[in-house]
Structure formats: C-alpha cells, structure tokens
Amino acid sequence: MGNELKKLAVITGASSGIGLELAKIAAAEGYDLIIAADEPAIETAAQQLRSSGVTVDAMEVDLSTREGAAALANFVGDKGQPVDILLANAGRGLGKGFLDQALDEALHIVDTNVTGTVALIHIIANEMRARGAGRILITGSIAGFIPGTYQAIYNGTKSFLNSFSFALRHELKDTGVTVTCLMPGPTETRFFERADMLDTEVGQSDKDDPADVAKVGFQAMMNDEGDVVAGWKNKLQTVMANVTPSGILAEQHAKMAAPGTAND
C-alpha cells in the first residue's frame, strides 16, 4: 500500500500520559503518526511507537503559541497526507492559589490549553472541512464543570475547551467532520507532578489509568459521540456538578486541591 493511501493521525501532548496512550491506539489501528510535545521526551515516545510498524514523525514544539501551532501544521503539511484524525490533547496544569502563582506561569497554562489548541484546530479543521472528512478529539476535563479553587486557571481553560468542543461540533454538523470531547477525571500521569500538586489530596489519591481513558476517548471519537466522561465515578461527579451550587463546588474543590491537603 502506498503512503498516499495510509491513514494519518496527529496527536499533541503525546510524550506521555493520555496522549501517548492515544498514539498507541492509533498505531494499533494502522494510522501513520505525527506526534508533538513541548519536551525532548517526544523522541523517546516516537521510538517506542515505531515498534508498532507504522511511520512515526515527531516534533518538539511549543504549542502554547500561534507560531508553534502553525509550525506543527506546516510539518503536517510537508507529510503530504490528509489528516484523518486530530487528537488535540496537549495541556498543562498549575496548582496553588491564583495570586500565589507567577503570572507568566499562569498565562502559559492559558496559552497551552487554549490558544495553541484553538490555533491548531483552526488550521487542520479547515482542511478537513474542505475535504469533507475528518475526526477531532479534544481532551477537555470534568474539571471544566467545577470552579477550581487552587486550580482556578486550569479548570477555567478546561471549561473553555468543553464548551468550545460542543459548539464546534454543531458548527461542523453535516460537513463530514466530527468533534468529540474527552472529559477525564484525575488520571495517573505526570500532570500533578508538573503542576506542583503532589502535596494535595487529589495529587495523592487513586487515579484512572491513562490507557483506559484513552481507549474510552478514541472509541467515542470513532463512534461519532459528542462527548464522553471516562470512569463511572467521574460520570457521577459530573452529574452532581450540574445540580450543585457553584459556591459549594468551589468549597469542595478547595478541600482536595489546596496545598498541604495530602496530609489532612
């Protein structure tokens, strides 16, 4: 089979965690891969994924900027294959109270989770729409339904992504392009270490397996589902969040995300 007939998957945030697991599933399904992340570990991930027998191209790129998103889109364009599935998974978190965070770090969360994601989707989804085919999976979060006391910026960005995903899906109705929002709960990845949240209750609690989360999300995308919450506990939490006053949700979130709560 020639390269022109191969299916192509683009996965961001694929150096570890849910992104890497999504890439493994895509590889097992026979997709050629273009994977990206903002750290050198993306090359290690690429070597691991090549054992699946598919073509894997990796790019270390800062996806918190429009320039980074454009650079990745150009990298994809140079491949000469249309993107069949885009798994927009890149994201970062940050713990502690908002006023105690360095503003540059807080804004980097916004730029990575929102600006870069939106910029990349704008480019690739336009190409999908012009072709009349394509699938997009956006990694949102159940955190998007909950005011994130001590994670105010992160939860706010995930609220944006959840809402954006639902809206974009309806805008692309009948175009041949589908959009699915994967909404995980706390997952066993490097997220809490990177967010400096290992001293919190949520940072030390039992978490979902990223392979299970990725499987649920990938299947929902292929089934053309609008959104999926991974894990029954997270589904229950989402239902409760929809009927619980915001003030109570914010107070509950503080009890698990405030610095030092791991020792309470």
Side-chain angles (χ1 to χ4, degrees), residues 2 12 23 67 78 84 97 110 117 139 141 156 164 168 175-176 181 185 198 205-206 226 232 236 242 258:
T12 65
E67 293 77 16
D78 291 342
D84 292 283
V110 175
T117 299
T139 301
S141 175
F164 171 75
L168 182 61
T175 66
C181 187
L198 293 180
S205 65
D206 291 336
W232 70 267
L236 177 61
N242 286 326

Side-chain angles (χ1 to χ4, degrees), residues 7 49 63 65 70 72 77 86 157 186 213 217 227 245 249 264:
K7 299 177 292 183
L49 290 162
L63 292 171
T65 66
L72 176 57
L86 170 62
T157 64
V213 173
D227 57 275
L249 290 172
D264 291 349

